[in-house]
Amino acid sequence: MVFLNGAFLPLEEAKVPVLDRGFIFGDGVYEVVPVYSKVPFRIEEHLARLERSLAAVGIRNPYTREQWRGFIGGIVERQPFEDQAVYFQVTRGVAKRDHAFPKHAEPTVFMMSNPLVPPASALVESGATAISARDNRWLRCDIKSISLIGNVLLRELSAEADAVETILFRDGKLTEASSSNVFIVKAGAIQSPPKNELILPGITYDVVVELARAHGLPLEFRDISEAEVRAADELWVTSSSKEVLAVVRLDGRAIGDGRPGPVFRRMYRLYQDFKHKVMRAGRRESISA
Ligand code: PDD
């Protein structure tokens, strides 16, 4: 079952008019919330980011937080599987094609949920490979826009190279990856680019940051050059579906000793423990040491 504009219905019956601005212009925003044992993970943070994305593009938020929570809960309970990735998007609605905003369009809301498959333990153990590319996307990557052609083209480069991600550099500096955030570890310190308009403020990024702080792991936000990424001891990607994953080869060359490093292993454990704590509690939990 999926959700379209207030109703739950089978996927085959969910239809959107071809003049929907999501279809015509990619004019909309989205979210992906991971769900473990039917408990949404960090849902308030995802809803807060959705509100920021909607405000940034001037699309009216059609629902209150409480309604969003209810509809997401409704989608989750209608699926036969426990661990889910709930996808939802809001577009500017259906209107005669014109770049300028329509005066009277109702936002279109679509929601679906697929099984959530975190990286296999073999990949977590061995580490993943990635390639790099120039970040040629627009300058508002902080908005979770459904216009993903830039990300799609960049991701395809790594897909063709049988790699899990494309790590992006803009003007010689690390931004993020095609669908995840990036961290490095150098001399024991966890480092990541600061949040700004060039990267998506990842919910998983925040979890990693909070876990690092709670457990006293050194952490720094700073501009990271391409050379520093290649010379890092460890390289990680983070996202709702990848969780925290070590990248051990970049463009065919080893990162560190070519194996997931000790700081990664620590953070992976902390992340899994926190996730299980949330699942056991059946609700949101704050991070503490
Ligand atoms: N991608 N950066 C980009 C460009 C992303 O698309 C994503 C998420 C992230 C990580 O954000 P989070 O930790 O909140 O998942 C960073 C989602 C999962 C997607 O598009 O499917």
Side-chain angles (χ1 to χ4, degrees), residues 98-286:
D98 178 353
H99 287 64
F101 293 0
K103 295 267 176 312
H104 310 285
E106 281 298 308
T108 301
V109 181
F110 173 64
M111 212 180 284
M112 64 181 167
S113 186
N114 290 307
L116 177 66
V117 188
S121 49
L123 187 62
V124 174
E125 289 295 319
S126 66
T129 60
I131 64 157
S132 70
R134 191 168 63 87
D135 191 344
N136 55 10
R137 301 170 303 162
W138 71 331
L139 297 172
R140 289 304 307 273
C141 297
D142 57 319
I143 300 171
K144 206 159 170 56
S145 161
I146 63 167
S147 308
L148 286 173
I149 191 78
N151 303 64
V152 164
L153 295 177
L154 290 164
R155 171 66 186 111
E156 184 58 19
L157 298 174
S158 50
E160 282 167 13
D162 264 331
V164 299
E165 254 297 16
T166 309
I167 306 241
L168 306 175
F169 297 106
R170 194 190 285 272
D171 302 328
K173 286 185 281 190
L174 173 67
T175 52
E176 55 178 345
S178 71
S179 63
S180 37
N181 291 110
V182 179
F183 288 80
I184 66 164
V185 176
K186 188 68 182 179
I190 303 169
Q191 305 176 17
S192 196
K195 284 189 196 166
N196 57 31
E197 294 186 349
L198 299 181
I199 69 170
L200 186 81
I203 306 300
T204 318
Y205 170 110
D206 284 343
V207 173
V208 165
V209 166
E210 288 173 44
L211 287 170
R213 286 201 176 118
H215 294 271
L217 307 180
L219 178 71
E220 254 182 274
F221 301 102
R222 51 185 284 271
D223 287 342
I224 301 169
S225 73
E226 185 167 343
E228 287 175 304
V229 171
R230 296 186 192 283
D233 300 330
E234 304 185 19
L235 178 59
W236 315 341
V237 289
T238 69
S239 80
S240 294
S241 52
K242 291 187 205 71
E243 303 184 336
V244 190
L245 183 64
V247 170
V248 296
R249 291 190 86 76
L250 181 62
D251 298 323
R253 291 188 291 275
I255 297 291
D257 67 1
R259 286 179 310 200
V263 187
F264 166 77
R265 290 202 301 274
R266 177 91 199 276
M267 182 54 71
Y268 181 80
R269 221 348 71 223
L270 291 174
Y271 194 91
Q272 298 305 316
D273 290 348
F274 177 61
K275 204 172 99 177
H276 287 109
K277 185 172 147 194
V278 170
M279 273 155 49
R280 274 197 308 276
R283 61 184 155 78
R284 68 177 272 108
E285 283 285 302
S286 57

